[in-house]
Amino acid sequence: MTFDIITIFPSFFASVFEHGVFKRARAVGQLEIRVHDLRDFTDDRHRTVDDRPFGGGPGMVLKPEPLFLAVEDLNAGSGAKAFPVVLLSPQGRLFRQEVAEELAGHDRVAMICGRYEGVDERVAQALVTDEISIGDYVLAGGELAAAVVIESVARLLPGVLGNEESPRQESFSLPSGADLKPEAVAAIPGAPPGGRGLLDFPQYTRPPEYRGLTVPEVLLSGNHEEIRRWRRRESIAKTWRRRPELLQQVVLDQDDLEVLEDLQRGEPD
Ligand code: SAM
């Protein structure tokens, strides 16, 4: 998968993509990242990419011309093949795991990083196909947001994570088919096939005791069925306490519903 990033700060990305998942995804040939300097698409001596807002007000706005030229240049290199052009923007649709999964289905995605007061609205109107926000807060630029999006997509690409780190088992991910009882799926009108996932269960590693803090006994028991049930219960409990709205989207079987009822009655999980 190729990401084309259009930015006024190309050196911002100098080391970001040299680590961890980015590095691995590039090494296995699943990810290519091309960083384009927006100033290369200007034609004045000062390589101007911004201007004052019409109507007055503070700050500067990224001009439309260099952005249109930059995206057209990418198009020229792609033949006729269309690809999403994403504007990182606090006004965009909220970035979530399912958006990462959706982007991972494309061969190529272009990303425009805004700066200053933002980007001339005509770019959103006529150039981009999608606007993505990484959260309800305002950053100074789209570069960090682009890196967030690319990392979460890169770890979904085939062969990037080892078998031991399956993204299917994580918070927000689609549960595997084996996790669901078909009658539980059928009983819920309008449920998406598989539903969305719960928050992940708590993880522990050695030592079994540290500063008086112990690992739950069941995880040391070697009883795989008990461990599976405990993890499922903990996932439901954590989701119920921290992100109860996620439970609306999850397909729960009878055992799960009993866990929820216990939680609602205030019984220890
Ligand atoms: N004036 C804009 C507004 O209020 O919506 C904010 C502009 S912001 C200071 C500059 C740039 O940072 C934006 O054009 C966008 O590319 C990026 N940015 C800021 N917050 C973001 C967020 N939550 N998600 C994605 N990109 C963001």
Side-chain angles (χ1 to χ4, degrees):
M1 180 173 185
T2 302
F3 281 95
D4 289 281
I5 304 175
I6 300 169
T7 172
I8 62 166
F9 293 133
S11 61
F12 185 97
F13 296 101
S15 71
V16 174
F17 300 130
E18 300 302 322
H19 305 280
V21 161
F22 294 120
K23 187 177 174 185
R24 211 181 321 167
R26 292 169 66 215
V28 298
Q30 286 287 354
L31 181 67
E32 185 177 351
I33 299 170
R34 302 181 194 147
V35 181
H36 308 271
D37 187 346
L38 185 61
R39 293 187 196 280
D40 289 345
F41 300 91
T42 57
D43 55 11
D44 66 312
R45 206 157 53 89
H46 301 292
R47 310 182 83 206
T48 310
V49 290
D50 58 338
D51 208 337
R52 289 190 302 275
F54 277 129
M60 302 294 273
V61 175
L62 287 184
K63 290 160 63 63
E65 308 95 303
L67 286 166
F68 273 80
L69 292 175
V71 171
E72 279 158 19
D73 193 60
L74 299 180
N75 275 322
S78 77
K81 212 165 172 226
F83 50 86
V85 179
V86 174
L87 174 64
L88 282 318
S89 163
Q91 302 169 22
R93 63 176 170 143
L94 215 47
F95 189 60
R96 298 164 59 92
Q97 188 66 20
E98 54 263 46
V99 181
E101 286 163 14
E102 182 191 313
L103 291 179
H106 293 277
D107 295 338
R108 188 179 187 188
V109 174
M111 311 194 94
I112 297 176
C113 305
R115 276 274 155 183
Y116 314 126
E117 289 306 307
V119 175
D120 186 290
E121 189 66 18
R122 288 165 289 187
V123 169
Q125 245 172 11
L127 186 63
V128 309
T129 58
D130 197 0
E131 290 184 58
I132 291 179
S133 164
I134 63 160
D136 289 343
Y137 43 81
V138 178
L139 299 164
E143 286 77 8
L144 282 170
V148 166
V149 170
I150 298 172
E151 181 169 290
S152 56
V153 172
R155 59 200 303 290
L156 297 175
L157 300 176
V160 172
L161 295 187
N163 287 340
E164 297 297 305
E165 323 164 84
S166 164
R168 293 265 152 206
Q169 292 177 16
E170 294 180 317
S171 301
F172 314 116
S173 297
L174 287 165
S176 69
D179 207 14
L180 302 170
K181 293 181 179 166
E183 59 275 20
V185 180
I188 298 183
R196 301 301 310 176
L198 301 163
L199 296 184
D200 204 0
F201 48 79
Q203 301 275 14
Y204 296 86
T205 185
R206 267 178 275 272
E209 183 180 342
Y210 180 66
R211 299 191 178 192
L213 302 166
T214 53
V215 173
E217 205 56 44
V218 59
L219 296 179
L220 311 174
S221 70
N223 183 331
H224 296 297
E225 178 54 19
E226 279 298 303
I227 291 171
R228 189 199 64 75
R229 287 165 63 90
W230 180 87
R231 286 179 163 169
R232 182 75 182 171
R233 220 165 33 238
E234 290 296 314
S235 267
I236 293 171
K238 216 177 207 187
T239 310
W240 184 71
R241 290 197 192 97
R242 297 188 180 182
R243 299 288 306 277
E245 78 283 5
L246 292 178
L247 287 169
Q248 307 297 322
Q249 311 168 69
V250 178
V251 179
L252 301 170
D253 67 14
Q254 197 49 44
D255 292 345
D256 297 337
L257 292 172
E258 282 167 21
V259 172
L260 261 185
E261 280 165 21
D262 288 349
L263 287 164
Q264 279 154 356
R265 278 201 300 268
E267 287 179 18
D269 39 286

